[in-house]
Structure formats: C-alpha cells, structure tokens
Amino acid sequence: MKTLKHILWAFLTTTVLAGCSDDLTYTSGTEDDPDNYGVYFPEQTSPTEVERDPAEEATVTYKVRRAKYLDAITVPVAVTASKEGIFEIEPITFGPGEQETEFTVTFPKAEEGEKYTCDIRIEDPRYISLYGPRATGLSFSVIRAGWELVTNADGTATKGKWRDDLVANMYSLPSATFNPNPEVEMEIYQRRDIKGYYRMKVYNDTFMEALAGAKINYQGRNVYTIVDARDPDKVFIPYQSTGLTLVSGNGELKFASNVSENFMMDESTGQYGTLKDGIITFPAQSVMLELEKEAGKFYYGNRNGMLRILLPGIVVPDYTVTLAKSEPADGVVEIAVKLAEDVEAMKFAVFEGVLDSGQASLTAQDMDAAKTFDGEVKTSGTIRIENRTTGKYTLVGCIYDKEGTMRDYVSVSFGYVAKDDEKPVILTMGLEATQEFAGQGITPDNSAKFYAFGEGIESVVYGLFRTDRLRGTDPDELLDAQGIQFTAGQLTALNAGHFSTMFTGLNGDSDYTLLLRAGNGYIRKTMQATYRTTGTYNPALDSFTYADFLPALDQPSLNDLTATTWNYYAVNYADNTEHPIRRKIGQVTMETNSQQSSAELQVLNINGLSGIKFDEGGALLGMYIPNAGSLSGFNGALALYASGDLTPGTYDGQKVLLGFIAEESSAAIYSGACMFMGAVADGYLYCVPSPQALEQNLTFSFFYTGDFTGSTLYSLMGEMMLVDPAKDLGGISGAALERIAALRKQALGAFTPRNYVELPEFSIPAGHTPAAEPVLPINLVTTPMPASAPAVKRADVRVSVVRTAPAAAAADSFRNVGIRVPEK
C-alpha cells in the first residue's frame, strides 16, 4: 500500500505520543464550562501554506468566530513556532455583539527561502468547548520566496509548454473533440534562491479548453504547479493538487511523482524524470494520481509517458516521415514520402513479406548498423517500386538528422502486381428482403439483409445511405468519412462464404444504397447495391436538414399554420432518461402577433414549443418566410425568433427565458432568428438550424427554456416536428434515431447553471441569400444485427442529420477512467 510521507508522519506522531505512558489508566474527561464563549477557528479564506515575495509585506490574516457573542473579550492563546522571534501575532479581540473577528500574523524577520511553522491554540476552557467538531487550534507555515520569470538566453521567449498525460488518465469526455494529451503554453517561474525549482499555472481555462476541444464549464482554483528539477537527473513533482474538480463526488485531483521524496519507499526504486536540453520528461506510470475524496488510494498517471515540459525557447525537433502507397498499376507502385523539416534524410530498403512493427523496428536497427540501403530520400517526393515479382513487400526507412544520427524509423507494407499479372478483388455482395424475423417486427418494410462472400479479402469498409442523398457525392470520400470497417471475424466469415447481417430501422417505401470498398492487399474496389423497402414512408421516422425543405410553393400558408392545431413531437434532452426518444410532447397552436407584424413581415405567436404550461406568455415568435422582403432568398415556413424582451413568459411564478443553444458554443444561450421551420412532407413541419448561422459555424440544434438565472432548466428541445393530425402516421421510433443519444450528451453538457447577463444575439442580414453548401449524407449503419441471431436488437440506425460539430461538455459529463495502483 502506498503511503505519503506527510500522512505517515502524522500517524506515527500520534502513535508515539499515545504510547509514552506505561500505565493504562482511565481518567474521566473534564466537563465543559457551560458559560464558555465557544471560540473556534472556522474554515479560512487565507491559505495555511503562506508564501510571500520578499518585496511583499510579510503578513497573513485569519478569521476567528465564537458561539456566544454578547461580551467584549480578548482570547488568550498558546503559540508554538519552529523558531523563536519570527512570528508577531495580533491579539484576538471581539467587540460587544461581534460574532467574528480577524487577527493578523506578521513575520518580518523570516529569512528568504526558509520555511517556518506556527501553531496557535486556544486552551483556556472559559473560552472554548473542550468537545465537539469545531477547531480550537490553527496551524500554518510561511516562507518568503522570490520567483523570477524563466526566459531563453536573449529574453525573447517567455513561455514554455506543458504536454499533459495526467488528467485524461483519470477522466474522459464522451466527445469527438476530447484531447487526452493537450499541450498548452504558460509562463514558468524559478525560485531565485533555488535553481531548477519551478512553478507554473497549468490547470486553468486554457488547459481545459485544449482538453475538451471547446470552451467548457468546470470547477478549478488556478493553482501553481511545482516541479523540482534541482537535480536534472532526479526531477520529480511534489505532492500537490491540480485545483480541478471535474466530478463533484471526487473532490480535487491530486498528483505526485512516485519517488522517495513523496512516498515511503527506497530511493533506488523512485521513478524520477530528467531535464535534458531544456526538456523535462518522466517515465511512463511514474506519477501517482489521487482523488481528494479517496485519500490514500492511488491511480496511475503518465500512463503513456507523454507528460513533458519544454522550458522557454526550446523547440523539439520534428523527425516525422509519412509514407503513402499507391495501388499497383502497369507494374509500378509509388510510395509518396513527406519529410518533416528536421529530417536530413530517409534511407530505405524493400523487403519481401509483410513486416509488423516489431519486425520493422529490428530491421531498421540492422540496416543502420550495417549501413546497407536500397536508396535515399533527402526531400519530399516519390519512390517508384518496379521490376519485382507479384507479391507482398514492406519498405523500411531509417530517419536521420543533420549529424547523421538515426532518430526513428518508418515502414509501409504494400502489394505489388507485375506488369502482366492480375490480382482482381473477388467479392459478391448485395441487399435482399427477408421475412426471417417477421415475427419480431423486422420485415421488408423496415429492414434489409446484407450478404457478402469472396476470396482473399483483407479489408472491407461499408455504409448504408439514403439514395436520394447521394447525389453529387464521391463514394470513396464518403466511405473515408463515415465508413465502418469489417472486423477480423467478419472478414473470416466473408472469405469462408457465409457473412450476412441485418440492417434494421429503415423507413418504408424508400430507396437505399449500400456502398462498399474491398481490398485484397493489392488493389481496392468500390461497389454498390441498391434496395427499396416496401410499406409506407413515414416522415416521423426521419430527421432533416434545411436542404430537405419542400419548394417554396409547397410551404404552408399563414392560414394553414394558424388554422391547424399541430401534433408536436420532439426530443426533450432534459428528460431524466438515458436514451430519450422523439416523443409526442403535446400540441402547438399559432396566431398572428399583430403588434410585431407589418405589411412586409407577418409574425406569429407559436404556443407550446417549450412543452410546459406557462402561467403567462411563453410564445416563441415565428417570422413568415414566403414573400417577406427581409427574408428574401430563404426557403421554409417560419424563422423562429426568441428574445428576452419580445418573448416573455412566467412559469411557476418565475420569469422564463427562451433562447437557442448552438452545438459549437454551448456555454451561451442565444436570442435571434436561430432556427427555421419548414415543410418536409405533406402535413409535416421540421425545425432545423438557421442556414445563415451554419455559414458562421453555429449549429443551433437546441431550443432552451429556463429561468433567467440559468439555474433551473425547464426543457431543452431538439429534433422538433409538427404534424397535421389529419396526416399523422404516428409510429415515432426511438431506435431509428440513435443520433439522439449522442446529441443528448451534448445538450446536457450545454446546460450548466450560469448567471444571466445578456443574450448574445444572432441576426440575419437583410437581403442575405444562404450559400448552397453540400451536406454529407449519414451512414445509417451503427450496430448491424447478425442475420442468424436468435435475439433482436431493434433498429440501431440514423437516417439523416443536420450538419454537426462536436459540442463542448460540462464538468458533469466527465467520467472516471482511472486505473488503480494495486495495494501491496
């Protein structure tokens, strides 16, 4: 079991003091004075580890409180200091009726660089309660230490870099933008009296944004991080806190190097870092992590050995070389080579067979030792491989710096086809209807069976797409962006002639296209198969983009909008459920807002989109798009508008705020015309992010309803659809909307308590016409069901989606991923 030195010392001290007497005699405790003043030391705002620059005033102030506060009193104290004559302590006095007071400790005689400790105790029973949880003593330490900014030799570089490998060893975010090894710039300071003793502020807003990939709400104290590099060969991180609380139940995240300065262990077993050429590195798993609420239990940090500190002015050389192979053509394979700036040369040789990384590494070392190569590349370019027999080969390259030292290696395996040979891709695949699972509700109306068989297939990537959304797209680019790779087991089944799986959750009476790219280690072939479901198309099973809006002539009239009581379906991301679905929220009505309407622009009140029953107000504004001069060039029925002044409401006696949240800017609630509503089918209206906002990289996917303080969320709506009851087919399928689960995490991450100051406003410039921008169709396959499976997993399919960018997450979205250090 790991034991921190300071914890063990406190334990041993208690044990020794308790063991000083040989007589085990019980003495009853002294009774409390019933008239005592109950003086105690509360939680302090001033630190108990005090550091002052020698130029600063050597003082610190602490608080004292009392339970009985009618009388004026001066509290006697006992003081124990590590050195006499250092501390001057102001008397602790309370005036009549004063419940709290402060006193100042000065230490003007403290020597620079020396640490002093002081214990102040209230012992007189007339002033304190002898029993109870309140502290009657205060311990603190002080040091006068000067720090100077570390720069490079000529003072032009004033910031260093910290590449982290600690926080992500304990916490992760369910976000595509999460970066487990963020590198941030910060100023580094060195103690004037101790060379190599550094401090820097790492864990702050800049770090958290780099970690999450976007601005994020979190709890942190922006504390200094100390690194002890006095001995360049024995660099360590003293036990300290990051100041970050990312999961409230864990408390702050703390860390310390696994060395004898921090833990009770033999010095020879310590895992120290090194400082060499201005770069501080640490061995993998050499830093221990600890959660404040789990004191004494440690987790591995720096698991990947990526923790690194660069002192100001230090630039790490880049010896990266990238290799990209072509497919064989006319007896030639081309290897594109890209050299980083610091690479002097890559010397290479070609070997028969496919070498794994271990074999390639050993081969590179042998090549460097023997200095035997097939060729050399000094600038980025292309290597032509030709005049070989058909087969598999591996090119291994040794990477050299300007001094001729091998810095790294690189390799790429490829298939070569001689000029008169052929290596075709042998694969048959397709989609077909089946009634095999009709008893479980999976029929040709909502599913398709995907089958494939072949010979010598080494890789397959595939995707299922709505046929009408493939127009103008490049199949290979689409597969690169969204394709799903076959697993090793699936490849084995395919080559054995018996691979099949079910695609479920499809819409009725709809055309689908399966794109598939297969490779045999020599060449790749892209194929496609089409399929049409039976049954009836249900718009409620789809989600849409602005491009899916029907033409302007098919958009509803003002009378259609106001004369219909619409069925309202949406996902309420505030629902207390793990997998919310688009469900029926209620009904929506619209009426003309005569106060805001004009001859050029008709404005409607839209009631019911928040999904709650307001005490008063609560209508969202809808600006009618057809024939509106200010909205010329836009398609759809209504531009949805929210404003603190123009869309007021009260709920449960509280003033309500309506607004919109963008996926890319989840820390803010926006006002303005942030969403559009338009007809996507006869009797079906759908809400999408404003196309003009998309041009500004704002994807308004969420409609927010909460109180004006931001502390209470009433609803957070997305995937909003209005349906004419006379044309409502029903049958909303949550399984067909798996994307909702991912959006829910973004949405809940988007909402954290905040103080309302002023809504940022998004507005549409007059006369603006949105640019036509292609939106990639979405791969509908997520978790296909084996065709022979006895149990059915319903419809893990996404059918269409607005263009998205990953949103920031809130602190509560962090999840624990720490690996515990085994107890010994």
Side-chain angles (χ1 to χ4, degrees):
M1 177 180 178
K2 281 207 168 294
T3 307
L4 282 166
K5 274 191 169 181
H6 73 278
I7 295 176
L8 183 62
W9 172 246
F11 171 75
L12 291 175
T13 303
T14 303
T15 305
V16 171
L17 293 177
C20 287
S21 172
D22 292 331
D23 300 323
L24 302 177
T25 304
Y26 171 76
T27 304
S28 60
T30 306
E31 292 185 0
D32 254 347
D33 184 339
D35 297 322
N36 77 75
Y37 292 102
V39 181
Y40 66 98
F41 294 98
E43 184 176 348
Q44 302 294 329
T45 54
S46 296
T48 53
E49 292 186 1
V50 182
E51 183 177 302
R52 293 287 184 267
D53 190 279
E56 294 180 319
E57 189 176 2
T59 65
V60 61
T61 300
Y62 293 112
K63 296 183 293 188
V64 189
R65 290 180 185 163
R66 59 176 176 167
K68 295 181 180 179
Y69 47 87
L70 292 180
D71 302 335
I73 60 172
T74 298
V75 182
V77 297
V79 179
T80 304
S82 58
K83 187 173 182 179
E84 293 290 334
I86 297 298
F87 296 100
E88 299 174 6
I89 299 174
E90 182 182 24
I92 300 175
T93 60
F94 291 88
E98 195 172 37
Q99 190 175 4
E100 180 178 295
T101 189
E102 293 182 340
F103 69 98
T104 299
V105 178
T106 60
F107 42 97
K109 298 180 181 178
E111 297 289 334
E112 182 175 348
E114 186 171 349
K115 187 174 184 178
Y116 304 91
T117 60
C118 183
D119 296 314
I120 301 176
R121 301 180 307 282
I122 307 170
E123 299 177 338
D124 193 325
R126 293 174 299 171
Y127 294 89
I128 60 172
S129 173
L130 299 176
Y131 309 102
R134 290 175 169 172
T136 58
L138 175 69
S139 298
F140 60 94
S141 65
V142 301
I143 187 171
R144 303 187 72 178
W147 296 85
E148 57 191 9
L149 182 66
V150 179
T151 67
N152 63 344
D154 60 9
T156 56
T158 60
K159 290 187 176 181
K161 290 184 178 181
W162 174 289
R163 186 179 66 192
D164 197 64
D165 194 20
L166 301 178
V167 175
N169 290 176
M170 182 61 71
Y171 297 109
S172 182
L173 274 176
S175 168
T177 61
F178 181 69
N179 176 12
N181 300 112
E183 187 168 50
V184 294
E185 283 191 330
M186 74 283 165
E187 292 179 334
I188 300 178
Y189 294 87
Q190 180 177 243
R191 274 271 295 269
R192 283 202 293 261
D193 59 322
I194 307 177
K195 184 179 179 181
Y197 194 77
Y198 301 111
R199 75 176 185 182
M200 58 212 76
K201 287 192 174 182
V202 176
Y203 299 109
N204 50 25
D205 291 349
T206 301
F207 174 86
M208 291 303 297
E209 185 171 348
L211 178 76
K215 291 188 181 298
I216 184 170
N217 297 294
Y218 72 99
Q219 183 179 341
R221 295 191 290 115
N222 195 23
V223 298
Y224 278 107
T225 295
I226 301 295
V227 177
D228 192 329
R230 289 175 290 179
D231 185 339
D233 295 321
K234 295 178 65 177
V235 179
F236 68 94
I237 299 172
Y239 177 71
Q240 60 197 289
S241 176
T242 62
L244 297 176
T245 301
L246 301 184
V247 174
S248 56
N250 293 162
E252 289 188 358
L253 176 63
K254 301 183 178 183
F255 63 115
S257 289
N258 187 26
V259 296
S260 60
E261 285 81 356
N262 293 324
F263 297 97
M264 298 300 297
M265 61 190 299
D266 190 281
E267 183 178 350
S268 63
T269 63
Q271 294 176 283
Y272 294 93
T274 59
L275 167 57
K276 184 178 181 180
D277 298 328
I279 304 173
I280 297 175
T281 57
F282 299 88
Q285 297 190 351
S286 65
V287 181
M288 300 292 103
L289 305 177
E290 181 190 42
L291 300 174
E292 182 182 12
K293 300 295 181 65
E294 296 183 15
K297 298 178 181 178
F298 295 93
Y299 297 79
Y300 287 114
N302 198 33
R303 293 207 304 253
N304 303 304
M306 295 288 286
L307 180 60
R308 184 184 70 190
I309 303 167
L310 304 182
L311 297 182
I314 299 301
V315 178
V316 178
D318 184 0
Y319 298 111
T320 304
V321 172
T322 57
L323 303 177
K325 63 185 176 182
S326 72
E327 290 190 356
D330 199 26
V332 175
V333 169
E334 294 185 339
I335 309 293
V337 183
K338 184 176 180 181
L339 307 182
E341 184 178 352
D342 297 305
V343 176
E344 177 66 15
M346 184 197 78
K347 301 179 181 181
F348 64 90
V350 177
F351 299 86
E352 293 183 356
V354 176
L355 305 186
D356 61 27
S357 59
Q359 292 171 316
S361 175
L362 293 174
T363 301
Q365 295 174 50
D366 292 341
M367 290 164 57
D368 177 58
K371 305 301 180 187
T372 55
F373 309 100
D374 292 344
E376 179 177 350
V377 176
K378 289 199 168 186
T379 59
S380 297
T382 301
I383 300 171
R384 288 172 57 90
I385 311 293
E386 50 192 329
N387 298 326
R388 294 178 181 267
T389 58
T390 299
K392 302 289 181 64
Y393 296 89
T394 300
L395 182 146
V396 179
C398 299
I399 303 170
Y400 291 91
D401 63 14
K402 290 178 173 57
E403 285 71 40
T405 302
M406 178 177 159
R407 290 290 186 170
D408 205 347
Y409 78 94
V410 67
S411 68
V412 61
S413 296
F414 57 93
Y416 178 84
V417 181
K419 190 169 186 178
D420 296 325
D421 286 350
E422 291 184 353
K423 279 288 184 178
V425 172
I426 302 174
L427 176 72
T428 301
M429 66 86 174
L431 296 172
E432 64 183 16
T434 178
Q435 295 285 357
E436 183 179 355
F437 300 101
Q440 298 170 338
I442 299 175
T443 71
D445 290 357
N446 55 31
S447 69
K449 182 178 180 180
F450 166 36
Y451 65 88
F453 54 90
E455 298 177 17
I457 303 301
E458 296 186 1
S459 66
V460 170
V461 59
Y462 70 105
L464 183 69
F465 304 89
R466 283 283 300 266
T467 301
D468 59 358
R469 294 176 183 176
L470 285 177
R471 286 189 294 269
T473 62
D474 181 280
D476 285 307
E477 289 182 3
L478 192 53
L479 288 172
D480 288 340
Q482 300 190 29
I484 298 173
Q485 298 280 350
F486 262 38
T487 65
Q490 290 171 330
L491 288 171
T492 298
L494 181 149
N495 286 313
H498 55 79
F499 171 80
S500 64
T501 191
M502 292 296 297
F503 296 153
T504 61
L506 307 182
N507 214 328
D509 194 27
S510 300
D511 290 314
Y512 294 90
T513 297
L514 173 68
L515 297 180
L516 181 147
R517 185 172 63 218
N520 60 7
Y522 294 90
I523 63 172
R524 300 186 304 176
K525 181 180 180 181
T526 300
M527 312 166 67
Q528 67 180 48
T530 58
Y531 177 80
R532 185 176 183 85
T533 54
T534 56
T536 302
Y537 174 70
N538 185 352
L541 297 180
D542 256 333
S543 54
F544 301 89
T545 71
Y546 176 75
D548 297 314
F549 282 1
L550 298 179
L553 292 176
D554 295 324
Q555 294 298 323
S557 67
L558 279 170
N559 184 66
D560 292 335
L561 293 172
T562 57
T564 304
T565 299
W566 300 87
N567 288 342
Y568 176 35
Y569 298 91
V571 182
N572 186 355
Y573 296 102
D575 284 346
N576 187 23
T577 177
E578 181 63 25
H579 298 292
I581 62 172
R582 187 163 63 197
R583 59 181 177 84
K584 187 172 182 180
I585 303 297
Q587 291 187 313
V588 167
T589 61
M590 306 184 200
E591 76 246 355
T592 300
N593 185 320
S594 56
Q595 186 177 1
Q596 298 297 330
S597 294
S598 66
E600 294 184 354
L601 181 66
Q602 294 295 310
V603 179
L604 303 182
N605 287 335
I606 307 174
N607 303 295
L609 286 180
S610 293
I612 61 175
K613 186 175 178 59
F614 286 91
D615 302 334
E616 183 180 357
L620 196 66
L621 297 183
M623 299 182 292
Y624 189 62
I625 295 174
N627 304 319
S630 60
L631 295 170
S632 175
F634 288 99
N635 188 24
L638 297 169
L640 305 185
Y641 185 93
S643 166
D645 297 328
L646 299 180
T647 55
T650 58
Y651 175 71
D652 199 21
Q654 299 294 319
K655 189 177 180 181
V656 170
L657 172 67
L658 304 181
F660 302 95
I661 293 177
E663 296 179 32
E664 300 85 355
S665 182
S666 59
I669 303 169
Y670 285 77
S671 68
C674 298
M675 298 184 83
F676 277 32
M677 179 188 291
V680 292
D682 185 20
Y684 285 78
L685 306 180
Y686 195 79
C687 297
V688 302
S690 158
Q692 210 275 328
L694 288 174
E695 294 179 6
Q696 300 180 26
N697 296 317
L698 288 172
T699 307
F700 288 110
S701 296
F702 312 117
F703 171 48
Y704 167 94
T705 304
D707 70 358
F708 258 71
T709 67
S711 61
T712 303
L713 175 65
Y714 299 131
S715 67
L716 196 60
M717 299 296 188
E719 303 279 352
M720 297 184 289
M721 176 178 280
L722 303 187
V723 185
D724 183 341
K727 300 171 182 178
D728 191 350
L729 297 175
I732 299 296
S733 170
L737 299 170
E738 184 186 88
R739 174 178 177 267
I740 292 170
L743 275 181
R744 175 181 181 270
K745 293 183 180 296
Q746 295 179 4
L748 294 184
F751 175 78
T752 53
R754 56 175 68 80
N755 292 322
Y756 168 69
V757 181
E758 182 179 0
L759 286 179
E761 183 168 0
F762 172 79
S763 60
I764 301 172
H768 174 82
T769 300
E773 185 172 343
V775 178
L776 281 179
I778 295 301
N779 186 353
L780 307 183
V781 182
T782 53
T783 309
M785 184 191 81
S788 58
V792 178
K793 185 172 183 179
R794 293 282 301 183
D796 287 332
V797 168
R798 299 179 291 189
V799 284
S800 181
V801 66
V802 295
R803 183 184 62 183
T804 62
D812 285 344
S813 297
F814 279 98
R815 61 174 182 262
N816 289 80
V817 293
I819 298 177
R820 281 279 301 276
V821 178
E823 296 187 5
K824 297 180 180 179

